């Protein structure tokens, strides 16, 4: 057998790749393709593949009439347009603050980062206690400063989503802040010195130097946080179970209910593909839009 | 080359011997020993072994020492049942399983996950109707399970508060009389009544007046627009609004269980399942100084028959793909008959007719039973319930979805987001859609 060195190298290369390739195909590529296929079927998992029934676009049509899916989509959008900008804005504020010479800088950085690395379940349980309308610390403080009827937070359909948003922002700040801090370190001091010579104010320096030079970090954060926000599930599952009155349900939670509670894996996959399509579109739009405001 | 060939042949020979040895070992393991095969089987229930399951296994092993039973605990919730269903579908891990509620049995039997035990029942001459009662679930005339246990829903009353209000526990009553009691029992800091936390159970007083399939009409559409359901829901909400019943909106923030509310003395009456009774003697966990009385669930109006909304609950079945069907059947039969008494420990009522129910009072409450509960009422309402008229449920179309639809819409009504007519209209409309898409 006459193999060229090149062919031999290729074979060896693929052999090295095989283990991870198998993992990728079995745990990622196959499920993705499979979920696309079953989104056009009715399939209940437990009665086996022989009972799979093709229904064409039925599952996708059904979604538009499903009040829970439309409510979930609405909640998802509200959640995304509030948590993403708020998290990034607050993170930027603290990053700029902690980048300057202040006391206990390291300790504060740690404080803000801890929520991000704490388990969602632990965070949710603590916030559940904080939000307790009658005995929780938040309402106790509100009452002591004279608020007669403080909100019922997660126990009311009017404020439950707001409560989830507050916790999510609080959890996300740490991660964004660390990235901003790293980016701030990379801005050459000479730019600021030059601006000072020109007599620019502090605000002017922030708007004309800091913000533009942080724009690529901001862009990256917008994309990743937006994707994460559309995939929110853990905190909702633990804190509210989508309620009260479905006021905090989101698409991933509906996917969970349709699949693991009703065993409607076809319909659940269809919702999952709707979610993918939304995230994909939003991300593409952001890529297109970035040319206008992101400095390379 | 020759040496390599010899080496390979030697290795292959060695492997053949090893595997052959393995096979003969295996054959020996399933060899019949005095008519009973030796086997290890996995029994899935919702409790820890030490909660009473191990005692049942010990009782079984006293008769069949050849069969090793390994107890496995699962949670009877969405995630736990998903684990059960996938394990059954994969055919591994489970031999004998306790299914909670006929809807679980029905969906598992329909998906061919449970073994048809009719041949065993015929072989052993087990007369199901006389051993367990009428209306045991079958699919196409075949048995996929047997009901080892039942549960009962009833009204528990705080005797101290009843006495203070000069009221007596009724032996039968209507929904209006029930709420009248609630109104009279309401005092400062005490609600007259508390209901179940599963929202569709708010309708129990209407549900229990239907002989069969209360959620569906004869032609299979949603029956939830029936005037009985509308009235039961309306009165439930009116009682909460009037402050004579513990409000659901309050529960959403306190998360307090009906049982805790009742045993803490926050409410005078509680609609609850019989499992409340087993906690009465645990004074450390549930300190209380009153005797508990028991009344049957009210009905909508005088003359209505009270078909039990409880009834058969714990159905024992066998994994359709078990490797030890004979041994599994022996365990299943034991758990449903002589052994079923052990389920009393975990708060279920054995349904086997051979059970001596009198022992349950002594075993649940000890020698001083009257200190905790009105024994006569406990026997009459809870232990005797399988001798009362039974509701038949054999339609499970979109069952889980309808349960959730009711929960969502009733919650919306409780929070004043929808009114009564809109709530009922939504429930009926959405249930009909779910039924249509399931067919």
């Amino acid at each position: 057998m006459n193999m060229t060195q090149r062919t031999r190298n290729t074979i060896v290369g693929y052999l090295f790749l095989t283990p991870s390739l198998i993992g990728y195909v079995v745990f990622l590529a196959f499920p993705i393709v499979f979920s696309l296929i079953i989104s056009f079927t009715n399939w209940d998992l437990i009665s086996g593949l022989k009972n799979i029934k093709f229904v064409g676009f039925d599952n996708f049509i059904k979604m538009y009439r499903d009040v829970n899916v439309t409510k979930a989509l609405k909640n998802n959008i509200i959640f995304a347009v509030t948590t993403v900008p708020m998290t990034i804005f607050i993170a930027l504020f603290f990053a700029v603050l902690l980048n300057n010479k202040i006391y206990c800088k390291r300790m504060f950085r740690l404080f803000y980062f801890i929520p991000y690395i704490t388990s969602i379940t632990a965070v949710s349980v603590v916030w559940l206690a904080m939000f307790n309308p009658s005995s929780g610390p938040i309402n106790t403080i509100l009452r002591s400063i004279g608020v007669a009827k403080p909100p019922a937070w997660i126990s009311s359909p009017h404020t439950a989503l707001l409560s989830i948003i507050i916790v999510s922002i609080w959890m996300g700040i740490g991660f964004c802040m660390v990235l901003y801090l790293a980016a701030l370190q990379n801005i050459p001091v000479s730019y600021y010195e030059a601006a000072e010579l020109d007599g620019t104010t502090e605000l002017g320096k922030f708007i004309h130097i800091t913000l533009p030079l942080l724009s690529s970090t901001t862009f990256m954060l917008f994309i990743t946080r937006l994707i994460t926000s559309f995939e929110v599930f853990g905190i909702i599952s633990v804190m509210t179970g989508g309620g009260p009155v479905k006021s905090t349900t989101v698409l991933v939670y509906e996917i969970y209910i349709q699949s693991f509670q009703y065993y409607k894996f076809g319909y659940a996959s269809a919702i999952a593909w709707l979610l993918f399509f939304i995230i994909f579109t939003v991300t593409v739009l952001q890529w297109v839009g970035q040319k206008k405001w992101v400095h390379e | 080359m020759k040496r390599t060939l010899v080496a390979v042949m030697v290795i292959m020979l060695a492997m053949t011997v090893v595997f052959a040895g393995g096979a003969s070992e295996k054959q020996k393991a399933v060899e019949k020993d005095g008519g009973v095969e030796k086997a290890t089987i996995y029994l899935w229930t919702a409790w820890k072994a030490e909660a009473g399951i191990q005692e049942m296994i010990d009782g079984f092993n006293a008769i069949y020492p050849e069969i090793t039973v390994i107890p496995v605990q699962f949670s009877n919730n969405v995630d736990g049942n998903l684990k059960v269903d996938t394990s059954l579908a994969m055919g591994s891990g489970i031999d004998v399983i306790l299914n909670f509620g006929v809807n679980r049995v029905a969906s598992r039997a329909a998906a061919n996950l449970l073994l048809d035990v009719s041949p065993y029942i015929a072989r052993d001459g087990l007369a199901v109707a006389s051993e367990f009662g009428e209306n045991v679930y079958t699919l196409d005339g075949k048995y996929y399970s047997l009901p080892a246990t039942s549960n009962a829903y009833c009204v528990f009353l705080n005797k101290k508060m009843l006495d203070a209000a000069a009221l007596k526990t009724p032996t039968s009553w209507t929904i209006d009389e029930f709420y009248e009691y609630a109104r009279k029992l309401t005092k400062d800091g005490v609600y007259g009544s508390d209901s179940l936390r599963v929202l569709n159970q708010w309708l129990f007083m209407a549900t229990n007046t239907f002989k069969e399939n209360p959620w569906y009409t004869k032609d299979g559409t949603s029956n939830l627009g029936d005037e009985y359901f509308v009235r039961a829901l309306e009165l439930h909400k009116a009682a909460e609004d009037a402050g004579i019943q513990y409000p659901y909106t309050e529960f959403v923030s306190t998360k307090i269980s009906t049982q805790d509310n009742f045993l803490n003395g926050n409410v005078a009456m509680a609609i609850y399942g019989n499992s409340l009774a087993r906690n009465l003697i645990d004074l450390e966990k549930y300190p209380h100084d009153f005797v508990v009385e028991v009344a049957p669930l009210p009905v909508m109006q005088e003359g209505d028959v009270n078909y039990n909304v409880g009834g058969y609950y714990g159905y024992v079945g066998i994994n359709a793909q078990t490797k030890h069907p004979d041994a599994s059947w022996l365990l299943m039969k034991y758990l449903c008959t002589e052994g079923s008494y052990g389920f009393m420990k975990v708060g279920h009522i054995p349904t086997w007719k051979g059970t001596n129910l009198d022992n349950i009072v002594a075993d649940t409450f000890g020698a001083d039973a009257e200190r905790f509960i009105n024994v006569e009422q406990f026997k009459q309402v809870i232990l005797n319930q399988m001798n009362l008229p039974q509701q038949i449920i054999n339609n499970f179309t979109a069952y889980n979805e309808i349960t959730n639809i009711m929960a969502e819409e009733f919650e919306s009504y409780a929070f004043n987001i929808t009114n009564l007519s809109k709530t009922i209209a939504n429930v009926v409309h959405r249930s009909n859609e779910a039924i249509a898409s399931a067919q």
Side-chain angles (χ1 to χ4, degrees), chain A residues 145-164:
Chain A
I145 59 167
V147 180
K149 266 192 140 185
W153 302 109
I154 55 161
S155 308
S156 155
H158 307 292
T159 48
L161 188 59
L162 174 72
S163 314
I164 298 280

PDB file of all heavy atoms in Angstrom, chain A residues 145-164:
ATOM      1  N   ILE A 145     -40.834  52.419  55.812  1.00  0.00           N
ATOM      2  CA  ILE A 145     -40.661  53.790  55.308  1.00  0.00           C
ATOM      3  C   ILE A 145     -41.987  54.384  54.848  1.00  0.00           C
ATOM      4  O   ILE A 145     -42.022  55.387  54.156  1.00  0.00           O
ATOM      5  CB  ILE A 145     -39.610  53.874  54.180  1.00  0.00           C
ATOM      6  CG1 ILE A 145     -40.008  52.967  53.002  1.00  0.00           C
ATOM      7  CG2 ILE A 145     -38.220  53.532  54.697  1.00  0.00           C
ATOM      8  CD1 ILE A 145     -39.195  53.236  51.744  1.00  0.00           C
ATOM      9  N   GLY A 146     -43.087  53.692  55.205  1.00  0.00           N
ATOM     10  CA  GLY A 146     -44.387  54.322  55.019  1.00  0.00           C
ATOM     11  C   GLY A 146     -45.173  53.889  53.809  1.00  0.00           C
ATOM     12  O   GLY A 146     -46.202  54.483  53.492  1.00  0.00           O
ATOM     13  N   VAL A 147     -44.717  52.838  53.092  1.00  0.00           N
ATOM     14  CA  VAL A 147     -45.518  52.337  51.975  1.00  0.00           C
ATOM     15  C   VAL A 147     -46.627  51.462  52.562  1.00  0.00           C
ATOM     16  O   VAL A 147     -46.359  50.414  53.143  1.00  0.00           O
ATOM     17  CB  VAL A 147     -44.661  51.520  50.984  1.00  0.00           C
ATOM     18  CG1 VAL A 147     -45.515  51.019  49.827  1.00  0.00           C
ATOM     19  CG2 VAL A 147     -43.503  52.360  50.477  1.00  0.00           C
ATOM     20  N   ALA A 148     -47.872  51.913  52.437  1.00  0.00           N
ATOM     21  CA  ALA A 148     -48.973  51.207  53.090  1.00  0.00           C
ATOM     22  C   ALA A 148     -49.230  49.852  52.439  1.00  0.00           C
ATOM     23  O   ALA A 148     -49.422  48.844  53.115  1.00  0.00           O
ATOM     24  CB  ALA A 148     -50.226  52.061  53.042  1.00  0.00           C
ATOM     25  N   LYS A 149     -49.267  49.842  51.106  1.00  0.00           N
ATOM     26  CA  LYS A 149     -49.565  48.586  50.415  1.00  0.00           C
ATOM     27  C   LYS A 149     -48.418  48.241  49.474  1.00  0.00           C
ATOM     28  O   LYS A 149     -48.479  48.506  48.278  1.00  0.00           O
ATOM     29  CB  LYS A 149     -50.868  48.734  49.629  1.00  0.00           C
ATOM     30  CG  LYS A 149     -52.095  48.268  50.390  1.00  0.00           C
ATOM     31  CD  LYS A 149     -53.279  48.178  49.448  1.00  0.00           C
ATOM     32  CE  LYS A 149     -54.123  46.972  49.732  1.00  0.00           C
ATOM     33  NZ  LYS A 149     -55.203  46.837  48.747  1.00  0.00           N
ATOM     34  N   PRO A 150     -47.356  47.630  50.007  1.00  0.00           N
ATOM     35  CA  PRO A 150     -46.237  47.269  49.131  1.00  0.00           C
ATOM     36  C   PRO A 150     -46.660  46.175  48.147  1.00  0.00           C
ATOM     37  O   PRO A 150     -47.603  45.428  48.423  1.00  0.00           O
ATOM     38  CB  PRO A 150     -45.179  46.751  50.104  1.00  0.00           C
ATOM     39  CG  PRO A 150     -45.924  46.347  51.324  1.00  0.00           C
ATOM     40  CD  PRO A 150     -47.142  47.196  51.387  1.00  0.00           C
ATOM     41  N   PRO A 151     -45.987  46.083  46.997  1.00  0.00           N
ATOM     42  CA  PRO A 151     -46.394  45.091  45.994  1.00  0.00           C
ATOM     43  C   PRO A 151     -46.233  43.657  46.510  1.00  0.00           C
ATOM     44  O   PRO A 151     -45.441  43.406  47.418  1.00  0.00           O
ATOM     45  CB  PRO A 151     -45.447  45.351  44.825  1.00  0.00           C
ATOM     46  CG  PRO A 151     -44.328  46.149  45.381  1.00  0.00           C
ATOM     47  CD  PRO A 151     -44.863  46.894  46.551  1.00  0.00           C
ATOM     48  N   ALA A 152     -46.991  42.741  45.919  1.00  0.00           N
ATOM     49  CA  ALA A 152     -46.915  41.341  46.347  1.00  0.00           C
ATOM     50  C   ALA A 152     -45.812  40.584  45.591  1.00  0.00           C
ATOM     51  O   ALA A 152     -45.676  39.387  45.736  1.00  0.00           O
ATOM     52  CB  ALA A 152     -48.256  40.661  46.139  1.00  0.00           C
ATOM     53  N   TRP A 153     -45.032  41.311  44.776  1.00  0.00           N
ATOM     54  CA  TRP A 153     -43.912  40.729  44.021  1.00  0.00           C
ATOM     55  C   TRP A 153     -44.284  39.471  43.268  1.00  0.00           C
ATOM     56  O   TRP A 153     -45.240  39.489  42.519  1.00  0.00           O
ATOM     57  CB  TRP A 153     -42.694  40.534  44.938  1.00  0.00           C
ATOM     58  CG  TRP A 153     -42.261  41.835  45.571  1.00  0.00           C
ATOM     59  CD1 TRP A 153     -42.380  42.198  46.878  1.00  0.00           C
ATOM     60  CD2 TRP A 153     -41.695  42.982  44.903  1.00  0.00           C
ATOM     61  NE1 TRP A 153     -41.920  43.467  47.070  1.00  0.00           N
ATOM     62  CE2 TRP A 153     -41.484  43.980  45.883  1.00  0.00           C
ATOM     63  CE3 TRP A 153     -41.341  43.267  43.578  1.00  0.00           C
ATOM     64  CZ2 TRP A 153     -40.944  45.221  45.578  1.00  0.00           C
ATOM     65  CZ3 TRP A 153     -40.796  44.511  43.271  1.00  0.00           C
ATOM     66  CH2 TRP A 153     -40.598  45.463  44.268  1.00  0.00           C
ATOM     67  N   ILE A 154     -43.584  38.364  43.528  1.00  0.00           N
ATOM     68  CA  ILE A 154     -43.843  37.176  42.703  1.00  0.00           C
ATOM     69  C   ILE A 154     -45.204  36.545  42.978  1.00  0.00           C
ATOM     70  O   ILE A 154     -45.612  35.628  42.280  1.00  0.00           O
ATOM     71  CB  ILE A 154     -42.758  36.098  42.883  1.00  0.00           C
ATOM     72  CG1 ILE A 154     -42.619  35.741  44.358  1.00  0.00           C
ATOM     73  CG2 ILE A 154     -41.432  36.524  42.303  1.00  0.00           C
ATOM     74  CD1 ILE A 154     -41.945  34.416  44.558  1.00  0.00           C
ATOM     75  N   SER A 155     -45.926  36.997  43.994  1.00  0.00           N
ATOM     76  CA  SER A 155     -47.229  36.409  44.285  1.00  0.00           C
ATOM     77  C   SER A 155     -48.353  37.086  43.526  1.00  0.00           C
ATOM     78  O   SER A 155     -49.498  36.686  43.641  1.00  0.00           O
ATOM     79  CB  SER A 155     -47.515  36.502  45.774  1.00  0.00           C
ATOM     80  OG  SER A 155     -46.449  35.972  46.492  1.00  0.00           O
ATOM     81  N   SER A 156     -48.055  38.120  42.787  1.00  0.00           N
ATOM     82  CA  SER A 156     -49.106  38.808  42.045  1.00  0.00           C
ATOM     83  C   SER A 156     -48.818  38.724  40.550  1.00  0.00           C
ATOM     84  O   SER A 156     -47.683  38.900  40.111  1.00  0.00           O
ATOM     85  CB  SER A 156     -49.159  40.274  42.463  1.00  0.00           C
ATOM     86  OG  SER A 156     -49.707  41.048  41.414  1.00  0.00           O
ATOM     87  N   PRO A 157     -49.868  38.472  39.757  1.00  0.00           N
ATOM     88  CA  PRO A 157     -49.648  38.396  38.310  1.00  0.00           C
ATOM     89  C   PRO A 157     -49.185  39.726  37.715  1.00  0.00           C
ATOM     90  O   PRO A 157     -48.663  39.750  36.606  1.00  0.00           O
ATOM     91  CB  PRO A 157     -51.017  37.984  37.765  1.00  0.00           C
ATOM     92  CG  PRO A 157     -51.993  38.184  38.860  1.00  0.00           C
ATOM     93  CD  PRO A 157     -51.238  38.153  40.147  1.00  0.00           C
ATOM     94  N   HIS A 158     -49.358  40.825  38.456  1.00  0.00           N
ATOM     95  CA  HIS A 158     -48.965  42.132  37.911  1.00  0.00           C
ATOM     96  C   HIS A 158     -47.494  42.439  38.125  1.00  0.00           C
ATOM     97  O   HIS A 158     -46.910  43.230  37.397  1.00  0.00           O
ATOM     98  CB  HIS A 158     -49.830  43.234  38.533  1.00  0.00           C
ATOM     99  CG  HIS A 158     -51.292  42.963  38.415  1.00  0.00           C
ATOM    100  ND1 HIS A 158     -51.950  42.980  37.204  1.00  0.00           N
ATOM    101  CD2 HIS A 158     -52.217  42.607  39.342  1.00  0.00           C
ATOM    102  CE1 HIS A 158     -53.226  42.660  37.401  1.00  0.00           C
ATOM    103  NE2 HIS A 158     -53.410  42.426  38.684  1.00  0.00           N
ATOM    104  N   THR A 159     -46.892  41.856  39.161  1.00  0.00           N
ATOM    105  CA  THR A 159     -45.507  42.208  39.470  1.00  0.00           C
ATOM    106  C   THR A 159     -44.545  41.028  39.380  1.00  0.00           C
ATOM    107  O   THR A 159     -43.343  41.197  39.567  1.00  0.00           O
ATOM    108  CB  THR A 159     -45.408  42.804  40.892  1.00  0.00           C
ATOM    109  OG1 THR A 159     -46.134  41.949  41.787  1.00  0.00           O
ATOM    110  CG2 THR A 159     -45.959  44.206  40.946  1.00  0.00           C
ATOM    111  N   ALA A 160     -45.071  39.834  39.074  1.00  0.00           N
ATOM    112  CA  ALA A 160     -44.205  38.651  39.091  1.00  0.00           C
ATOM    113  C   ALA A 160     -43.084  38.747  38.052  1.00  0.00           C
ATOM    114  O   ALA A 160     -41.918  38.473  38.344  1.00  0.00           O
ATOM    115  CB  ALA A 160     -45.035  37.392  38.867  1.00  0.00           C
ATOM    116  N   LEU A 161     -43.441  39.177  36.829  1.00  0.00           N
ATOM    117  CA  LEU A 161     -42.419  39.259  35.785  1.00  0.00           C
ATOM    118  C   LEU A 161     -41.372  40.307  36.147  1.00  0.00           C
ATOM    119  O   LEU A 161     -40.172  40.097  35.950  1.00  0.00           O
ATOM    120  CB  LEU A 161     -43.072  39.581  34.429  1.00  0.00           C
ATOM    121  CG  LEU A 161     -42.142  39.498  33.217  1.00  0.00           C
ATOM    122  CD1 LEU A 161     -41.546  38.111  33.069  1.00  0.00           C
ATOM    123  CD2 LEU A 161     -42.878  39.877  31.934  1.00  0.00           C
ATOM    124  N   LEU A 162     -41.828  41.412  36.714  1.00  0.00           N
ATOM    125  CA  LEU A 162     -40.903  42.462  37.153  1.00  0.00           C
ATOM    126  C   LEU A 162     -39.915  41.892  38.178  1.00  0.00           C
ATOM    127  O   LEU A 162     -38.706  42.167  38.112  1.00  0.00           O
ATOM    128  CB  LEU A 162     -41.694  43.628  37.757  1.00  0.00           C
ATOM    129  CG  LEU A 162     -40.857  44.731  38.387  1.00  0.00           C
ATOM    130  CD1 LEU A 162     -40.146  45.540  37.309  1.00  0.00           C
ATOM    131  CD2 LEU A 162     -41.699  45.648  39.259  1.00  0.00           C
ATOM    132  N   SER A 163     -40.423  41.093  39.103  1.00  0.00           N
ATOM    133  CA  SER A 163     -39.557  40.509  40.122  1.00  0.00           C
ATOM    134  C   SER A 163     -38.485  39.626  39.492  1.00  0.00           C
ATOM    135  O   SER A 163     -37.311  39.678  39.865  1.00  0.00           O
ATOM    136  CB  SER A 163     -40.374  39.660  41.097  1.00  0.00           C
ATOM    137  OG  SER A 163     -41.526  40.338  41.493  1.00  0.00           O
ATOM    138  N   ILE A 164     -38.904  38.818  38.514  1.00  0.00           N
ATOM    139  CA  ILE A 164     -37.953  37.930  37.825  1.00  0.00           C
ATOM    140  C   ILE A 164     -36.903  38.768  37.087  1.00  0.00           C
ATOM    141  O   ILE A 164     -35.709  38.449  37.086  1.00  0.00           O
ATOM    142  CB  ILE A 164     -38.707  37.028  36.817  1.00  0.00           C
ATOM    143  CG1 ILE A 164     -39.702  36.131  37.540  1.00  0.00           C
ATOM    144  CG2 ILE A 164     -37.739  36.211  35.978  1.00  0.00           C
ATOM    145  CD1 ILE A 164     -39.124  34.925  38.184  1.00  0.00           C
TER     146      ILE A 164
END
